[in-house]
Amino acid sequence: KAELHRHLAGALPLAHQAALLAELGEPVDGGPAALRTRTCVVRPMRSLGEVLACFDLFGRMLSSLEAVDSSTRAVVAQAAREGLVYLELRLSPGFIRQWCPATDAEIIRCVAAAAAEESARRDLHVSLLVIATRELGPASCAAAFRAAADLNDRGVVGVDLAGDVVRVDPVGVDA
């Protein structure tokens, strides 16, 4: 069983989300189940922007390399419990960098190391796909692509240029 499209930020187990928020001094009334309505798309939404607004909470949860490490481990462990033998884990260092004071390369290295260590303890292979987000601008996209290329020996198997191609100037980003 393989999964080719699991986002690190969007795949955090609810119990792990609750623990991270508690560490930040933001405990959730009602526990992990109450988080579902705040961090999962459980109803139709009108736009990608509305969906992405849910990710602000994930950003706060990923505000340190320690949180990125523990979150990667939680996501990989969950994938193994689901019976996966191959996982392609997607991450956007530019998104994480909005809250976590680290470079794209440091974020990718952190995720790669945690994924490698956690998957080595299980019958699971994890590859990384690095996302560059148009909305963060050309410099951010270039930084993500450079870091991904420099770290392809750490499990990075590809890159993804994501974002709204209609409202964001693709010529500037694509250049």
Side-chain angles (χ1 to χ4, degrees):
K1 184 169 156 181
E3 183 167 339
L4 303 178
H5 199 114
R6 185 171 294 198
H7 290 262
L8 174 63
L12 301 179
L14 290 172
H16 187 72
Q17 292 178 31
L20 288 172
L21 288 171
E23 288 175 17
L24 293 171
E26 299 182 40
V28 178
D29 292 334
L35 272 174
R36 188 171 191 279
T37 59
R38 293 175 60 195
T39 61
C40 298
V41 178
V42 294
R43 62 180 168 71
M45 294 187 172
R46 293 180 305 248
S47 69
L48 176 62
E50 190 176 352
V51 172
L52 294 177
C54 295
F55 281 77
D56 286 342
L57 186 57
F58 290 121
R60 291 201 317 274
M61 290 182 218
L62 298 173
S63 61
S64 70
L65 287 176
E66 293 79 13
V68 172
D69 178 279
S70 71
S71 296
T72 302
R73 292 173 189 280
V75 168
V76 171
Q78 178 64 39
R81 284 191 296 276
E82 293 170 14
L84 294 180
V85 295
Y86 180 80
L87 172 64
E88 226 168 67
L89 188 60
R90 293 168 176 258
L91 69 141
S92 173
F95 168 78
I96 295 170
R97 194 173 11 85
Q98 293 176 85
W99 292 272
C100 179
T103 66
D104 287 24
E106 290 168 332
I107 292 166
I108 296 168
R109 270 196 222 77
C110 178
V111 171
E117 289 172 16
E118 193 63 34
S119 64
R121 300 177 336 125
R122 306 164 188 285
D123 189 19
L124 175 63
H125 178 81
V126 179
S127 295
L128 303 178
L129 198 123
V130 174
I131 302 167
T133 307
R134 284 181 172 90
E135 285 80 359
L136 298 177
S140 177
C141 292
F145 289 151
R146 273 193 300 278
D150 291 346
L151 297 168
N152 71 345
D153 63 337
R154 305 273 179 110
V156 176
V157 297
V159 294
D160 176 14
L161 180 57
D164 189 336
V165 296
V166 174
R167 293 190 313 157
V168 177
D169 173 25
V171 174
V173 172
D174 290 344

